[in-house]
Amino acid sequence: MNYKLVIASLLFINFNVNAQITEPQLDQLVERTLKSFDVPGISVAIVKDGKIIHAKGYGVKSILTNEKVDANTLFGIASNSKAFTSGALAMLVDEGKVKWDDKVIQYIPEFKMYNDYVTNEFTIRDLLTHRSGLGLGAGDLMIWPDGSDFKTQDIINNLQYLKPVSAFRTKYDYDNLLYIVAGEVIYRASGKTWCDFIEERIMKPLEMNNSAASYVRLKDTTNIIAPHVPTDGKLKVISRYKNQTFDAAAGIYSSVNDLSKWMIMQLQDGKYGTEKQNRLFSEKEHNQMWQLQTIIPTNAKAPYNTHFSGYGLGWFLSDVKGYKQVSHTGGLEGIVTQVTLFPELNLGIVVLTNQQSGAAFSAITNTIKDSYLGIPYTDYVELYSKREKDNVSKSDKETDEVWATVAKNKKDNLKIDLKKYAGTFKDDWFGTILISEKKGKLYFSSNRSKALIGEIFFFKDNTLVVKWNNRSFNADAFLSFELDGNGNLNVLKMKPISELTDFSYDFQDLNFIKVTP
């Protein structure tokens, strides 16, 4: 029996409908979370009724330095940056410089989607609502993993080659690239780059003095986390994501102290200042951001009994135990974050972590919010830890079977004509890759995404697998060669081996055609 977990659980037994989590209980919760999910560092803040009632760091910024996390430690907030993009656009709406339902081509004439109707009808609102018709994470390989050379203009140009998976405005599928386009709209409408606008018009008035719109713009990096990824069974510090092309979707670095000011302003309908005397954006436009735009299917299960769920403008929206919940999560390589707001309770929660286990921030956020909602205590650390281990075990079993087949092929000394798979292949939006044969081995390399490099192994039939040199990617992929109209293996398609591969490795959206032998 793990007596530490038993003792920790006993701390919560006295919870009742009126009991809100105490600081010792919260400290114990986070310490358990650090250990259970192998997260080096976490920072947590709670705001209530316009005040910060808890802001604290736990654990370490890096396993290499063991420096302690505090409430001013900077984390990449990843997709929690999207709400800043929608907030910036709300300010421009207030100023009469844009309208939510203006067509994108009014500001970016070269903007082009997969068909003319969608191109001509696509609005600024559509950029923010994940209802474009494109699939989950479509085109993300242009900005993921770090190290590609695609710029904003490349992304705008290449959207036309991404094929839809549903009709326009009919289905929710999370998207990153269109927030990059939204950042470009801000630039063309205001004359300020996205980074300049966010820092000058949002961060400076709110006195988010330690934050920046992009890692490369931070004035002081002495108090900042390192990203960590479990790699081959061991936690590893990895290189930080720095691609500025992604900024309008995921670029901001901030701390729980600074984000508390952002949450308080949001809970005050755009007002800020000691007497709420100032405004970032009007209540009218704030309401637009917090109105349901795109429906997300949900089930009304206990304990939250969520009947409705969807996406607004930069925020997820749902009813939770009869209250409106406004939230978002964010993820970069080795960093995941969560912001949760309950406007009717005047309550905000932010959890920042330097490892990519979403179960960790969920366990903390849900325990805190349950205490305010009067929901009986659930040991989310234990619940999510078991669920995560089960998911990883299932995924490992599937991927192990693939690599076992590869090993058996090698042991059996199968005679494979590798040269027939070699060549240069081109995809309309991703560009060219090279599959080269050297000394009886095949290798994959990408012309525009230099980090995607690895050795290729025979699997079965005309399907091979690529094993990326960077083992922290957790994104090894199948390479399936298909016959073209002339009976040659000139068509190449890809898909991740593991179901747990991050959706931004959207290999399935690629369609390569051989251009040279």
Side-chain angles (χ1 to χ4, degrees), residues 299-497:
N299 294 314
K301 293 181 178 179
Y304 297 128
N305 306 116
T306 296
H307 303 91
F308 309 102
S309 179
Y311 202 86
L313 303 177
W315 294 97
F316 288 98
L317 306 166
S318 58
D319 71 303
V320 173
K321 208 66 177 177
Y323 293 96
K324 184 175 187 174
Q325 177 179 272
V326 182
S327 65
H328 216 289
T329 59
L332 290 171
E333 294 166 324
I335 307 172
V336 290
T337 65
Q338 185 173 44
V339 173
T340 308
L341 306 173
F342 285 91
E344 293 149 305
L345 298 174
N346 208 354
L347 171 69
I349 306 162
V350 58
V351 183
L352 310 177
T353 83
N354 61 357
Q355 203 256 64
Q356 55 193 42
S357 171
F361 65 57
S362 295
I364 295 169
T365 297
N366 288 353
T367 304
I368 295 170
K369 77 184 187 186
D370 284 6
S371 78
Y372 281 88
L373 295 169
I375 294 173
Y377 170 69
T378 296
D379 189 344
Y380 289 109
V381 174
E382 182 179 352
L383 177 67
Y384 293 157
S385 180
K386 182 180 185 305
R387 186 180 300 173
E388 186 176 77
K389 288 173 183 176
D390 289 345
N391 289 338
V392 170
S393 177
K394 179 185 175 185
S395 174
D396 286 350
K397 183 175 183 295
E398 293 168 351
T399 56
D400 287 348
E401 288 174 355
V402 170
W403 291 112
T405 300
V406 169
K408 185 176 185 302
N409 293 338
K410 188 175 181 180
K411 181 180 179 181
D412 293 345
N413 199 25
L414 292 182
K415 301 299 181 183
I416 308 298
D417 181 10
L418 298 179
K419 287 184 172 58
K420 70 178 181 179
Y421 299 111
T424 301
F425 295 77
K426 184 178 181 181
D427 174 80
D428 286 339
W429 59 267
F430 188 66
T432 59
I433 63 165
L434 175 65
I435 295 180
S436 54
E437 189 266 334
K438 300 174 185 176
K439 297 181 179 180
K441 294 182 178 181
L442 282 180
Y443 297 91
F444 182 110
S445 60
S446 167
N447 182 48
R448 303 202 64 175
S449 186
K450 300 299 185 183
L452 289 179
I453 184 169
E455 187 175 353
I456 298 171
F457 302 87
F458 179 75
F459 179 54
K460 63 181 178 181
D461 301 324
N462 285 315
T463 298
L464 287 69
V465 290
V466 57
K467 186 174 187 178
W468 305 117
N469 289 354
N470 188 329
R471 302 310 302 147
S472 69
F473 286 170
N474 297 321
D476 296 338
F478 290 111
L479 308 175
S480 297
F481 292 80
E482 300 176 2
L483 299 174
D484 63 13
N486 298 318
N488 298 314
L489 291 171
N490 287 343
V491 179
L492 169 60
K493 295 185 178 179
M494 299 177 65
K495 71 174 184 178
I497 295 175

Side-chain angles (χ1 to χ4, degrees), residues 492-505:
L492 169 60
K493 295 185 178 179
M494 299 177 65
K495 71 174 184 178
I497 295 175
S498 171
E499 291 183 359
L500 297 183
T501 295
D502 190 285
F503 68 78
S504 287
Y505 291 100

Side-chain angles (χ1 to χ4, degrees), residues 132-184:
S132 66
L134 299 177
L136 173 64
D140 275 4
L141 279 171
M142 286 187 277
I143 42 93
W144 192 270
D146 198 9
S148 73
D149 66 359
F150 290 93
K151 303 303 180 186
T152 298
Q153 202 57 44
D154 295 317
I155 289 168
I156 291 170
N157 178 72
N158 289 344
L159 285 170
Q160 63 187 300
Y161 302 117
L162 295 170
K163 295 180 180 179
V165 299
S166 61
F168 183 39
R169 296 179 182 152
T170 63
K171 183 176 178 290
Y172 166 84
D173 272 303
Y174 192 83
D175 180 273
N176 283 308
L177 300 189
L178 294 173
Y179 268 82
I180 296 173
V181 180
E184 183 68 10

Side-chain angles (χ1 to χ4, degrees), residues 230-273:
T231 305
D232 294 332
K234 186 178 181 181
L235 202 61
K236 179 182 177 184
V237 173
I238 64 164
S239 298
R240 188 183 311 280
Y241 189 99
K242 299 179 183 178
N243 186 352
Q244 283 197 272
T245 302
F246 203 16
D247 282 347
I252 291 173
Y253 265 74
S254 192
S255 66
V256 294
N257 268 345
D258 277 1
L259 288 170
S260 293
K261 300 170 185 176
W262 165 252
M263 292 194 297
I264 289 170
M265 180 276 298
Q266 290 284 345
L267 291 165
Q268 294 175 169
D269 293 321
K271 294 179 181 178
Y272 67 97

Side-chain angles (χ1 to χ4, degrees), residues 63-77:
I63 58 175
L64 300 181
T65 66
N66 286 321
E67 294 176 339
K68 300 295 184 184
V69 175
D70 60 40
N72 289 314
T73 299
L74 296 166
F75 294 71
I77 71 169

